[in-house]
Amino acid sequence: MKSHRKELWFNLPQRRQLLNITDQVAESVRESEVREGLCLVNAMHITSSVFINDDESGLHHDFEVWLEKLAPEKPYNLYRHNGAEDNADAHLKRTIMGREVVVAITNGQLDLGPWEQIFYGEFDGKRRKRALIKIIGE
Amino acid sequence: MKSHRKELWFNLPQRRQLLNITDQVAESVRESEVREGLCLVNAMHITSSVFINDDESGLHHDFEVWLEKLAPEKPYNLYRHNGAEDNADAHLKRTIMGREVVVAITNGQLDLGPWEQIFYGEFDGKRRKRALIKIIGE
Amino acid sequence: MKSHRKELWFNLPQRRQLLNITDQVAESVRESEVREGLCLVNAMHITSSVFINDDESGLHHDFEVWLEKLAPEKPYNLYRHNGAEDNADAHLKRTIMGREVVVAITNGQLDLGPWEQIFYGEFDGKRRKRALIKIIGE
């Protein structure tokens, strides 16, 4: 069994931002030389997300509006977590979007459907944060 | 290490519909001849879901009502994604329900709790779509 | 390839309660003697959750308030699932929080970010329930 580990580092300029990381994950699969296996991609922070959806700017706008409706950023005193911090909403937004994806590797490639793209979802940005890629297989 | 890949194809007559696919996943585990491992089952489309919950029609009705409350289908112009398309709500509903499940394989069988059943959740149906099963182990 | 399986049993006194199980999962990784691999941790029940977030009591209070807003426990007749049962809300709450996490194992340890902690989330407690740990790797 082979395994491969890689960290992707980000420092996104906005509090909330979605970044397509599909190419970086695909490159990591090539580096791993795994032909058949599983690829885990997870946020290493609890106020960000890794998820799969469409790379369409209208939809990304809809996600922003929808997440703000389900778990608004403000007023900050809505949340008991907010005292020294102001990011309780980011913990909740990431819970909706998910921490991780597991993607099949087949014939040495990410086995994605036609519109599946892997995103890093930042909900408390403007700082250095990272995602983990872990690949196992043969 | 063994690996096994299978696609399940669907063409569900309703826009939204839940389908129990536990038996089809279990059959795929038997085909794989994996005794100890992991089984990934994921939607290959970004407007459908694979999730685990109860096979109880009252609960499935509750999911429908609840998802319509959290991410309503209409009015279509509520969403910027809806122009050429009308399925923004399906992207959001599937985000709540999840893209994938990973299930342990133990002694050659799906290692599920007593009430755990695997579902394909369709939120933009009336067309051919599919889920992926990927099994690795020994 | 090595594999390791362990059940964690709970009997939490409250209907809803979050329990940090990171140490128990880490112990299971040590028992497995896996150096590089993947660790699946999932609820075996459909009214509870395994998720990763912050071990901060203010945030846990915020989760409780937020989940009650998104999927209230009462009135029980809000849900068609509630007849013989009263736990429809728990099925929905667990859907938000997620069934499972997959964590990388690197150098024989859980490969977690600095604040990532693994929780069992109970939404229909006061009874014996369990989570499954399944580890594969080498």
Side-chain angles (χ1 to χ4, degrees), chain A residues 5 80-81 94 99 134, chain C residues 36 52 56 62 111 116:
Chain A
R5 180 192 193 275
R80 201 173 286 183
H81 180 63
R94 108 70 176 257
R99 167 189 180 260
K134 185 84 184 192
Chain C
E36 302 294 328
I52 285 180
E56 197 278 303
D62 295 333
D111 197 340
E116 286 195 301

Side-chain angles (χ1 to χ4, degrees), chain C residues 47-124:
Chain C
T47 51
S48 51
S49 173
V50 171
F51 68 96
I52 285 180
N53 218 302
D54 200 356
D55 197 352
E56 197 278 303
S57 63
L59 182 67
H60 293 188
H61 172 85
D62 295 333
F63 271 124
E64 162 66 19
V65 171
W66 183 63
L67 290 171
E68 266 295 284
K69 196 182 78 178
L70 293 183
E73 178 187 339
K74 299 172 185 174
Y76 291 127
N77 66 8
L78 184 60
Y79 304 104
R80 201 173 286 183
H81 180 62
N82 288 340
E85 304 203 71
D86 68 0
N87 64 3
D89 71 299
H91 291 270
L92 305 184
K93 288 180 168 97
R94 108 74 175 256
T95 300
I96 295 277
M97 299 304 289
R99 168 190 180 258
E100 77 212 14
V101 295
V102 177
V103 181
I105 299 172
T106 302
N107 291 326
Q109 298 202 303
L110 288 170
D111 197 340
L112 293 170
W115 299 99
E116 286 195 301
Q117 295 287 302
I118 307 170
F119 288 90
Y120 175 74
E122 179 62 84
F123 303 108
D124 185 29

Side-chain angles (χ1 to χ4, degrees), chain B:
Chain B
M1 202 200 77
K2 285 175 186 156
S3 73
H4 184 66
R5 180 193 193 273
K6 191 175 190 175
E7 291 182 1
L8 302 180
W9 283 83
F10 312 101
N11 193 343
L12 300 187
Q14 296 174 229
R15 182 177 171 114
R16 288 192 287 278
Q17 199 169 336
L18 306 183
L19 187 70
N20 190 330
I21 58 171
T22 313
D23 288 349
Q24 291 172 79
V25 179
E27 187 189 342
S28 192
V29 172
R30 284 190 294 276
E31 291 164 3
S32 75
E33 297 183 353
V34 166
R35 302 290 300 169
E36 302 294 327
L38 295 178
C39 175
L40 166 70
V41 192
N42 67 269
M44 298 190 78
H45 299 261
I46 52 196
T47 51
S48 52
S49 173
V50 171
F51 67 96
I52 286 180
N53 218 301
D54 199 356
D55 198 351
E56 198 278 304
S57 63
L59 182 67
H60 293 188
H61 172 84
D62 295 333
F63 271 124
E64 162 67 18
V65 171
W66 183 63
L67 290 170
E68 265 295 285
K69 197 182 77 179
L70 293 183
E73 178 187 337
K74 300 173 185 171
Y76 292 126
N77 66 8
L78 183 60
Y79 305 105
R80 201 173 286 183
H81 180 62
N82 287 341
E85 303 203 72
D86 68 0
N87 64 3
D89 71 299
H91 290 269
L92 305 184
K93 287 180 169 96
R94 108 71 176 259
T95 299
I96 295 277
M97 299 304 289
R99 168 189 179 260
E100 78 211 13
V101 296
V102 178
V103 181
I105 298 171
T106 302
N107 291 326
Q109 298 201 301
L110 289 170
D111 197 341
L112 292 169
W115 299 100
E116 287 195 301
Q117 295 286 301
I118 307 171
F119 288 89
Y120 174 74
E122 179 62 84
F123 303 109
D124 185 29
K126 305 178 191 177
R127 64 194 74 189
R128 273 168 60 78
K129 293 168 80 170
R130 58 199 158 125
L132 177 64
I133 302 172
K134 184 84 183 192
I135 294 165
I136 69 167
E138 255 179 8

